[in-house]
Amino acid sequence: LDARRVALRYLRFWFWVDFASSIPLDLIMYISLPGYCAAAGAQAGGELKLLKVFRLVRLLKLLRLLKINKLVSVAQQEYGVNPSLVELLGLMIRILAVTHWVGCLWNMPAAYYYSDDNLTAEEQLGRARETWLSPLLLAYDEVEPLTELPPVSDIYVASMYWTVTTISTIGYGDQHAVRGFERVLSIVIMLLGCAFFGFVVGGMQDIANQFDANAARTRVKLDLVKAAMHERGMPQPMVRRVKEYYSHYLSECADAE
């Protein structure tokens, strides 16, 4: 490998993605903004909210998931892995990645609303009850009245639960939008979720078909026969008879193998 060419290619795109997502924003704010760690002063509230927006730049690293197709092809060529298994793994990784992104996006407006650093724990809890988290918090209250927000891990699991039930078109309805912007966001996610669900079903169907190697070879040969008959302009009754014959013949050959 030519190190110079590799470096130049890296500098064209991925260097800037890695550079922007690796900027130590917390350290910069700690040095430049007094009282950043305590977040107690009202003067720092606006800057802290702006910092949360800047932190979204770190999500640029997720662009590396776009290289998954290249990794799949390398695994197939270098290690001789079953292509169907590799494609199934790649599809599962895409499903998990999209589910994680949508789950974080779903909770983002609510988190921005209730996670004001200038509010007390009880005030943050009161604001959270005005968001999609209200059914979750009511379920907690039935066991023991809450005095502060539940753990972030529980909120994340609830958000992922809503995402999976929505994208998979199940939609139990126990978690639902409360605020106006949440309703708009849920509409967008449901519309895009239908398209993504169709993509997943189509991908699973393709992978299931590829697991049957004999069926795949049969389809290829039948396609060649149909193309040859189409080029010669054979009549439709003859085309049907030839297709039926070759379908039977190829299936018998596959059983013999």
Side-chain angles (χ1 to χ4, degrees), residues 95-107 132 156-171 175 189-190 193 196:
I95 293 173
L96 291 175
V98 171
T99 304
H100 170 73
W101 292 341
V102 175
C104 295
L105 177 65
W106 170 243
N107 185 55
W132 72 273
Y156 175 76
V157 171
S159 182
M160 291 288 287
Y161 167 77
W162 180 90
T163 301
V164 171
T165 56
T166 301
I167 290 180
S168 61
T169 69
I170 297 174
Q175 302 283 352
I189 291 175
M190 283 187 279
F196 180 71

Side-chain angles (χ1 to χ4, degrees), residues 2 27 43 51 70 72 81 141 148 181 226-227 232 239:
D2 188 347
L27 179 60
Q43 182 181 359
L51 174 64
K70 185 176 181 180
V72 167
V81 182
D141 288 333
E148 59 182 8
F181 185 77
K226 287 188 289 185
R232 287 163 175 77
V239 171

Side-chain angles (χ1 to χ4, degrees), residues 184-247:
V184 174
L185 183 59
S186 65
I187 291 173
V188 174
I189 291 175
M190 283 187 279
L191 292 175
L192 296 178
C194 291
F196 180 71
F197 183 70
F199 164 78
V200 171
V201 172
M204 293 295 289
Q205 180 64 39
D206 292 340
I207 293 172
N209 292 335
Q210 291 176 13
F211 272 110
D212 190 348
N214 290 328
R217 288 197 296 268
T218 299
R219 287 195 303 272
V220 172
K221 292 177 181 178
L222 281 175
D223 288 339
L224 293 174
V225 171
K226 287 188 289 185
M229 291 188 294
H230 178 73
E231 289 179 0
R232 287 163 175 77
M234 297 176 62
Q236 194 62 31
M238 179 65 73
V239 171
R240 284 198 299 269
R241 291 178 60 187
V242 172
K243 286 170 59 179
E244 291 173 359
Y245 168 76
Y246 270 98
S247 297

